[in-house]
Amino acid sequence: GAGVSQSPRYKVAKRGQDVALRCDPISGHVSLFWYQQALGQGPEFLTYFQNEAQLDKSGLPSDRFFAERPEGSVSTLKIQRTQQEDSAVYLCASSLAFVDRTGNFYEQYFGPGTRLTVT
Amino acid sequence: SQQGEEDPQALSIQEGENATMNCSYKTSINNLQWYRQNSGRGLVHLILIRSNEREKHSGRLRVTLDTSKKSSSLLITASRAADTASYFCASTVLTNTDKLIFGTGTRLQVFP
């Protein structure tokens, strides 16, 4: 079945290089999330899209991080001038819709992640 | 910074034994979920418990929630080698997005 896919699965970048990580969410999913997972830690929220609108980017660690989802489907996370502390697994997740305060919950489906190593 | 702290950080048991993992969180939550992550693979959703619920079951999984103590536990009964993975609690808070705030995780090793 078509789950969330991410590419590349592995990326090695030299410090200072720019990288672009791609996420293909499940077709029809409105919400898309990016998380960063450092080695041995739990994922940490980076940013959230509802369709093409970036509604929350409070987790982006610096202005070197930029995410877009121009047509409300595929999303790209770009990291400029990579630093060693950017080394992590970047996870993308999508869900069918936005959860509302009545308690409706739409499960987030995660991709396999992109492991970024900055040397 | 992460919302939740989990303990133990690592747990090793024999097949057939029960495994209990605990999670504490910091702020008021909308719901709390548990995820499993196998080595090199993505996160898989296991179970969700809402803030007004105290206990929930799903197969061999039992989750409890104590909002007064801001804590939750995950019990896996009759563990199997295939349960070997990292387990994370994740909460959603009362904001305008349903972003997940994860704990630090428990690494479970089940020996056959």
mmCIF file of all heavy atoms in Angstrom, chain B residues 44-65:
data_model
loop_
_atom_site.group_PDB
_atom_site.id
_atom_site.type_symbol
_atom_site.label_atom_id
_atom_site.label_comp_id
_atom_site.label_asym_id
_atom_site.label_seq_id
_atom_site.Cartn_x
_atom_site.Cartn_y
_atom_site.Cartn_z
ATOM 1 N N VAL B 44 5.347 3.627 14.469
ATOM 2 C CA VAL B 44 4.044 3.001 14.284
ATOM 3 C C VAL B 44 3.168 3.326 15.491
ATOM 4 O O VAL B 44 3.575 3.117 16.639
ATOM 5 C CB VAL B 44 4.171 1.479 14.118
ATOM 6 C CG1 VAL B 44 2.790 0.832 14.054
ATOM 7 C CG2 VAL B 44 4.976 1.157 12.864
ATOM 8 N N HIS B 45 1.986 3.830 15.206
ATOM 9 C CA HIS B 45 1.059 4.177 16.266
ATOM 10 C C HIS B 45 0.491 2.920 16.913
ATOM 11 O O HIS B 45 0.071 1.995 16.219
ATOM 12 C CB HIS B 45 -0.083 5.015 15.675
ATOM 13 C CG HIS B 45 -1.101 5.441 16.666
ATOM 14 N ND1 HIS B 45 -2.301 4.806 16.827
ATOM 15 C CD2 HIS B 45 -1.094 6.459 17.562
ATOM 16 C CE1 HIS B 45 -2.991 5.409 17.767
ATOM 17 N NE2 HIS B 45 -2.284 6.418 18.221
ATOM 18 N N LEU B 46 0.501 2.873 18.244
ATOM 19 C CA LEU B 46 0.000 1.700 18.963
ATOM 20 C C LEU B 46 -1.375 1.943 19.567
ATOM 21 O O LEU B 46 -2.297 1.153 19.368
ATOM 22 C CB LEU B 46 0.983 1.316 20.074
ATOM 23 C CG LEU B 46 2.371 0.848 19.636
ATOM 24 C CD1 LEU B 46 3.243 0.596 20.855
ATOM 25 C CD2 LEU B 46 2.274 -0.393 18.769
ATOM 26 N N ILE B 47 -1.489 3.002 20.334
ATOM 27 C CA ILE B 47 -2.715 3.201 21.094
ATOM 28 C C ILE B 47 -2.805 4.660 21.531
ATOM 29 O O ILE B 47 -1.778 5.316 21.732
ATOM 30 C CB ILE B 47 -2.749 2.243 22.317
ATOM 31 C CG1 ILE B 47 -4.118 2.201 22.976
ATOM 32 C CG2 ILE B 47 -1.644 2.572 23.304
ATOM 33 C CD1 ILE B 47 -4.274 1.047 23.956
ATOM 34 N N LEU B 48 -4.023 5.145 21.649
ATOM 35 C CA LEU B 48 -4.265 6.510 22.095
ATOM 36 C C LEU B 48 -5.194 6.482 23.302
ATOM 37 O O LEU B 48 -6.151 5.700 23.337
ATOM 38 C CB LEU B 48 -4.923 7.314 20.967
ATOM 39 C CG LEU B 48 -5.388 8.748 21.271
ATOM 40 C CD1 LEU B 48 -5.264 9.612 20.030
ATOM 41 C CD2 LEU B 48 -6.830 8.787 21.782
ATOM 42 N N ILE B 49 -4.922 7.338 24.258
ATOM 43 C CA ILE B 49 -5.814 7.496 25.398
ATOM 44 C C ILE B 49 -6.115 8.980 25.556
ATOM 45 O O ILE B 49 -5.217 9.827 25.489
ATOM 46 C CB ILE B 49 -5.208 6.872 26.682
ATOM 47 C CG1 ILE B 49 -6.220 6.910 27.833
ATOM 48 C CG2 ILE B 49 -3.892 7.536 27.074
ATOM 49 C CD1 ILE B 49 -5.850 5.991 28.992
ATOM 50 N N ARG B 50 -7.379 9.307 25.704
ATOM 51 C CA ARG B 50 -7.786 10.700 25.820
ATOM 52 C C ARG B 50 -7.621 11.183 27.259
ATOM 53 O O ARG B 50 -7.580 10.387 28.195
ATOM 54 C CB ARG B 50 -9.226 10.874 25.364
ATOM 55 C CG ARG B 50 -9.443 10.471 23.923
ATOM 56 C CD ARG B 50 -10.806 10.876 23.403
ATOM 57 N NE ARG B 50 -11.060 10.297 22.093
ATOM 58 C CZ ARG B 50 -10.547 10.764 20.962
ATOM 59 N NH1 ARG B 50 -9.751 11.810 20.986
ATOM 60 N NH2 ARG B 50 -10.835 10.183 19.820
ATOM 61 N N SER B 51 -7.592 12.475 27.429
ATOM 62 C CA SER B 51 -7.322 13.050 28.753
ATOM 63 C C SER B 51 -8.413 12.727 29.766
ATOM 64 O O SER B 51 -8.175 12.763 30.971
ATOM 65 C CB SER B 51 -7.143 14.562 28.649
ATOM 66 O OG SER B 51 -8.298 15.162 28.114
ATOM 67 N N ASN B 52 -9.619 12.387 29.286
ATOM 68 C CA ASN B 52 -10.699 12.052 30.218
ATOM 69 C C ASN B 52 -10.831 10.536 30.441
ATOM 70 O O ASN B 52 -11.782 10.076 31.074
ATOM 71 C CB ASN B 52 -12.029 12.628 29.730
ATOM 72 C CG ASN B 52 -12.445 12.081 28.387
ATOM 73 O OD1 ASN B 52 -11.684 11.372 27.739
ATOM 74 N ND2 ASN B 52 -13.650 12.408 27.962
ATOM 75 N N GLU B 53 -9.901 9.781 29.926
ATOM 76 C CA GLU B 53 -9.889 8.336 30.127
ATOM 77 C C GLU B 53 -8.798 7.961 31.113
ATOM 78 O O GLU B 53 -7.784 8.646 31.231
ATOM 79 C CB GLU B 53 -9.668 7.618 28.792
ATOM 80 C CG GLU B 53 -10.783 7.851 27.781
ATOM 81 C CD GLU B 53 -10.496 7.207 26.432
ATOM 82 O OE1 GLU B 53 -9.352 7.311 25.959
ATOM 83 O OE2 GLU B 53 -11.439 6.618 25.858
ATOM 84 N N ARG B 54 -8.998 6.835 31.777
ATOM 85 C CA ARG B 54 -8.015 6.399 32.772
ATOM 86 C C ARG B 54 -7.286 5.132 32.355
ATOM 87 O O ARG B 54 -6.140 4.908 32.777
ATOM 88 C CB ARG B 54 -8.705 6.171 34.118
ATOM 89 C CG ARG B 54 -9.207 7.459 34.734
ATOM 90 C CD ARG B 54 -8.064 8.393 35.075
ATOM 91 N NE ARG B 54 -8.531 9.730 35.403
ATOM 92 C CZ ARG B 54 -8.479 10.747 34.550
ATOM 93 N NH1 ARG B 54 -7.988 10.578 33.320
ATOM 94 N NH2 ARG B 54 -8.908 11.939 34.898
ATOM 95 N N GLU B 55 -7.942 4.323 31.542
ATOM 96 C CA GLU B 55 -7.322 3.066 31.144
ATOM 97 C C GLU B 55 -7.879 2.662 29.788
ATOM 98 O O GLU B 55 -9.044 2.915 29.476
ATOM 99 C CB GLU B 55 -7.629 1.980 32.184
ATOM 100 C CG GLU B 55 -6.907 0.668 31.967
ATOM 101 C CD GLU B 55 -7.085 -0.287 33.136
ATOM 102 O OE1 GLU B 55 -6.905 0.163 34.288
ATOM 103 O OE2 GLU B 55 -7.411 -1.463 32.895
ATOM 104 N N LYS B 56 -7.006 2.009 29.009
ATOM 105 C CA LYS B 56 -7.436 1.543 27.700
ATOM 106 C C LYS B 56 -6.669 0.280 27.346
ATOM 107 O O LYS B 56 -5.496 0.136 27.710
ATOM 108 C CB LYS B 56 -7.191 2.615 26.648
ATOM 109 C CG LYS B 56 -8.030 2.463 25.403
ATOM 110 C CD LYS B 56 -8.102 3.782 24.672
ATOM 111 C CE LYS B 56 -9.023 3.657 23.483
ATOM 112 N NZ LYS B 56 -9.110 4.926 22.741
ATOM 113 N N HIS B 57 -7.354 -0.635 26.641
ATOM 114 C CA HIS B 57 -6.731 -1.890 26.255
ATOM 115 C C HIS B 57 -6.786 -2.042 24.744
ATOM 116 O O HIS B 57 -7.727 -1.615 24.091
ATOM 117 C CB HIS B 57 -7.477 -3.066 26.890
ATOM 118 C CG HIS B 57 -7.456 -3.081 28.376
ATOM 119 N ND1 HIS B 57 -6.685 -3.961 29.103
ATOM 120 C CD2 HIS B 57 -8.087 -2.297 29.291
ATOM 121 C CE1 HIS B 57 -6.864 -3.727 30.395
ATOM 122 N NE2 HIS B 57 -7.706 -2.728 30.530
ATOM 123 N N SER B 58 -5.751 -2.688 24.217
ATOM 124 C CA SER B 58 -5.752 -3.062 22.814
ATOM 125 C C SER B 58 -4.885 -4.300 22.673
ATOM 126 O O SER B 58 -3.653 -4.228 22.740
ATOM 127 C CB SER B 58 -5.203 -1.930 21.950
ATOM 128 O OG SER B 58 -5.126 -2.322 20.583
ATOM 129 N N GLY B 59 -5.529 -5.452 22.511
ATOM 130 C CA GLY B 59 -4.769 -6.698 22.413
ATOM 131 C C GLY B 59 -3.935 -6.931 23.653
ATOM 132 O O GLY B 59 -4.455 -6.950 24.777
ATOM 133 N N ARG B 60 -2.633 -7.063 23.481
ATOM 134 C CA ARG B 60 -1.731 -7.285 24.617
ATOM 135 C C ARG B 60 -1.266 -5.982 25.265
ATOM 136 O O ARG B 60 -0.421 -5.999 26.165
ATOM 137 C CB ARG B 60 -0.520 -8.092 24.148
ATOM 138 C CG ARG B 60 -0.837 -9.506 23.697
ATOM 139 C CD ARG B 60 0.419 -10.300 23.347
ATOM 140 N NE ARG B 60 1.115 -9.740 22.202
ATOM 141 C CZ ARG B 60 2.322 -9.185 22.261
ATOM 142 N NH1 ARG B 60 2.966 -9.094 23.406
ATOM 143 N NH2 ARG B 60 2.890 -8.713 21.168
ATOM 144 N N LEU B 61 -1.786 -4.881 24.813
ATOM 145 C CA LEU B 61 -1.383 -3.572 25.341
ATOM 146 C C LEU B 61 -2.417 -3.050 26.328
ATOM 147 O O LEU B 61 -3.618 -3.154 26.106
ATOM 148 C CB LEU B 61 -1.239 -2.555 24.205
ATOM 149 C CG LEU B 61 -0.307 -2.922 23.053
ATOM 150 C CD1 LEU B 61 -0.307 -1.805 22.021
ATOM 151 C CD2 LEU B 61 1.094 -3.208 23.538
ATOM 152 N N ARG B 62 -1.897 -2.459 27.402
ATOM 153 C CA ARG B 62 -2.763 -1.784 28.361
ATOM 154 C C ARG B 62 -2.100 -0.459 28.702
ATOM 155 O O ARG B 62 -0.938 -0.409 29.092
ATOM 156 C CB ARG B 62 -2.936 -2.625 29.624
ATOM 157 C CG ARG B 62 -3.674 -1.906 30.756
ATOM 158 C CD ARG B 62 -3.854 -2.837 31.951
ATOM 159 N NE ARG B 62 -4.329 -2.093 33.130
ATOM 160 C CZ ARG B 62 -3.565 -1.787 34.170
ATOM 161 N NH1 ARG B 62 -2.300 -2.127 34.202
ATOM 162 N NH2 ARG B 62 -4.068 -1.127 35.198
ATOM 163 N N VAL B 63 -2.849 0.602 28.537
ATOM 164 C CA VAL B 63 -2.347 1.944 28.831
ATOM 165 C C VAL B 63 -3.174 2.545 29.958
ATOM 166 O O VAL B 63 -4.389 2.411 29.987
ATOM 167 C CB VAL B 63 -2.438 2.842 27.585
ATOM 168 C CG1 VAL B 63 -2.153 4.289 27.944
ATOM 169 C CG2 VAL B 63 -1.475 2.372 26.518
ATOM 170 N N THR B 64 -2.484 3.201 30.869
ATOM 171 C CA THR B 64 -3.164 3.964 31.919
ATOM 172 C C THR B 64 -2.726 5.414 31.839
ATOM 173 O O THR B 64 -1.646 5.731 31.319
ATOM 174 C CB THR B 64 -2.837 3.411 33.311
ATOM 175 O OG1 THR B 64 -1.426 3.547 33.542
ATOM 176 C CG2 THR B 64 -3.238 1.955 33.444
ATOM 177 N N LEU B 65 -3.582 6.273 32.336
ATOM 178 C CA LEU B 65 -3.295 7.711 32.344
ATOM 179 C C LEU B 65 -3.727 8.291 33.672
ATOM 180 O O LEU B 65 -4.861 8.071 34.109
ATOM 181 C CB LEU B 65 -4.029 8.407 31.197
ATOM 182 C CG LEU B 65 -3.835 9.919 31.078
ATOM 183 C CD1 LEU B 65 -2.380 10.256 30.752
ATOM 184 C CD2 LEU B 65 -4.767 10.502 30.021
#
